[in-house]
Amino acid sequence: MGASAEFLVGVLGNITGVCLFVAPATTFYRIFKKKATDSFSAIPYLCTLLNCVLWLLYGMPFVTKNGVLIMTINGIGAILEMCYLSIFMKYAAKPGKIHTAKVGGTLGVFFIVVVLVVVFATHHLHARHTIVGILCVIITIVMYAAPLSVMRVVIKTKSVEYMPLPLSVMVLLNSAAWSAYALLKKDIYIMIPNFFGVVLGIGQLILYWWYYGAPKPTLQEELEMGQKSAQQGSNELPPGALDVSNPSDVHSSNMESVSLKDSSSVETKISGSPTRGSTLPAYSTIAFSSHNLRS
């Protein structure tokens, strides 16, 4: 009975995980149509790929017993992430390609070192399970900086437009499914990150309920936020502030007057969070942060 329940819960985790992995497809479809990536960053997807391959390694028989369900979802995730990155590399400008290749190469070397250590330096299943499990927990929790930044955006702007409700619900379901799976399997390394995922998922739903229907910040308020950040010497705009790439288009004597003669000179930039209509990170044995282009 226990094994059957474990399998069913694991299948549910796989289903919700696939839904979350497929969500960024709309972003890359727009990149494909536009034949350009603009200021889009592939770094979140490189981190997601590393996370997937580490959990894939964790689920392998020489690391974890009966880890087929873990291997399945993270194998699918790794394939999808590589597809997304291939599209990015095809249409990105040269600087973007070089930067992505450097970061990707560094992460690739790190993963190869981990595999070599696990295969050749450790000879006991428990030791391998512990080493890879700890690495997976650390990297997954580090990736939770993305959902925290999204929640910060909601609190700062008092708007839930950057946190779609269906995706938040799916994230919570995914985390809950993998948490239940970890309890049944008695796997602390799956439990720890997914417990945080459940907590953050509930927190997102609470924020959604609290700020749903709240008025959006005006253009004047956004400009004031950006001006305040600049005065403080910040190199990064606060959430919801406008990134004015051409200073000549902003009249310093009157912040209410903004020239929109060049749409590329004024763009909304949310620091550390996805833009409107984008997806949120998945909390599970898979965890990703997808940043969509503006529609």
Side-chain angles (χ1 to χ4, degrees):
M1 180 67 180
S4 177
E6 177 185 307
F7 177 78
L8 292 175
V9 173
V11 169
L12 176 60
N14 272 255
I15 293 172
T16 54
V18 169
C19 292
L20 290 168
F21 271 131
V22 172
T26 55
T27 296
F28 290 91
Y29 177 68
R30 287 198 290 271
I31 290 177
F32 175 77
K33 286 179 60 179
K34 198 173 183 180
K35 310 297 183 186
T37 60
D38 295 330
S39 59
F40 178 79
S41 174
I43 303 306
Y45 295 93
L46 287 171
C47 295
T48 302
L49 178 58
L50 174 63
N51 195 55
C52 286
V53 294
L54 280 174
W55 281 109
L56 180 61
L57 176 64
Y58 180 82
M60 290 184 174
F62 59 88
V63 176
T64 301
K65 292 181 179 179
N66 303 319
V68 175
L69 292 173
I70 300 173
M71 291 174 60
T72 302
I73 184 57
N74 287 286
I76 294 172
I79 292 172
L80 288 174
E81 296 304 319
M82 286 188 285
C83 291
Y84 297 152
L85 289 168
S86 297
I87 294 173
F88 177 87
M89 293 297 284
K90 179 177 177 61
Y91 296 110
K94 187 175 180 180
K97 290 181 179 179
I98 294 174
H99 181 62
T100 301
K102 287 181 178 179
V103 176
T106 302
L107 297 180
V109 170
F110 171 75
F111 177 70
I112 291 173
V113 170
V114 172
V115 172
L116 292 176
V117 170
V118 169
V119 174
F120 297 106
T122 56
H123 305 287
H124 299 286
L125 184 67
H126 178 72
R128 291 174 175 175
H129 184 80
T130 301
I131 292 172
V132 180
I134 291 174
L135 283 174
C136 288
V137 169
I138 292 173
I139 291 179
T140 303
I141 290 179
V142 168
M143 292 180 69
Y144 287 155
L148 289 175
S149 67
V150 172
M151 295 170 73
R152 178 174 175 270
V153 169
V154 173
I155 295 172
K156 192 76 174 180
T157 64
K158 295 181 174 57
S159 172
V160 296
E161 65 174 326
Y162 301 105
M163 194 172 68
L165 179 60
L167 199 56
S168 296
V169 172
M170 186 63 69
V171 163
L172 179 58
L173 290 175
N174 192 35
S175 300
W178 283 111
S179 294
Y181 177 84
L183 282 173
L184 293 170
K185 196 175 176 64
K186 297 181 176 60
D187 192 319
I188 188 66
Y189 302 114
I190 298 178
M191 169 56 65
I192 292 174
N194 284 287
F195 173 77
F196 282 104
V198 170
V199 172
L200 290 174
I202 293 173
Q204 287 184 348
L205 293 182
I206 291 174
L207 282 179
Y208 193 93
W209 171 77
W210 186 263
Y211 289 111
Y212 179 75
K216 300 178 182 179
T218 64
L219 176 63
Q220 175 64 22
E221 291 173 337
E222 291 182 334
L223 287 171
E224 289 175 353
M225 290 168 64
Q227 188 179 33
K228 181 179 178 181
S229 176
Q231 290 172 349
Q232 293 174 346
S234 173
N235 293 325
E236 187 176 17
L237 289 175
L242 289 181
D243 178 12
V244 183
S245 58
N246 186 354
S248 64
D249 285 340
V250 179
H251 300 282
S252 58
S253 61
N254 184 1
M255 289 302 295
E256 295 182 359
S257 177
V258 180
S259 173
L260 299 179
K261 61 183 179 180
D262 183 357
S263 60
S264 65
S265 65
V266 181
E267 62 177 356
T268 301
K269 186 170 184 177
I270 302 302
S271 171
S273 69
T275 54
R276 184 179 307 170
S278 62
T279 62
L280 300 178
Y283 314 106
S284 66
T285 56
I286 52 166
F288 66 90
S289 173
S290 57
H291 294 236
N292 285 4
L293 295 175
R294 295 184 64 195
S295 56

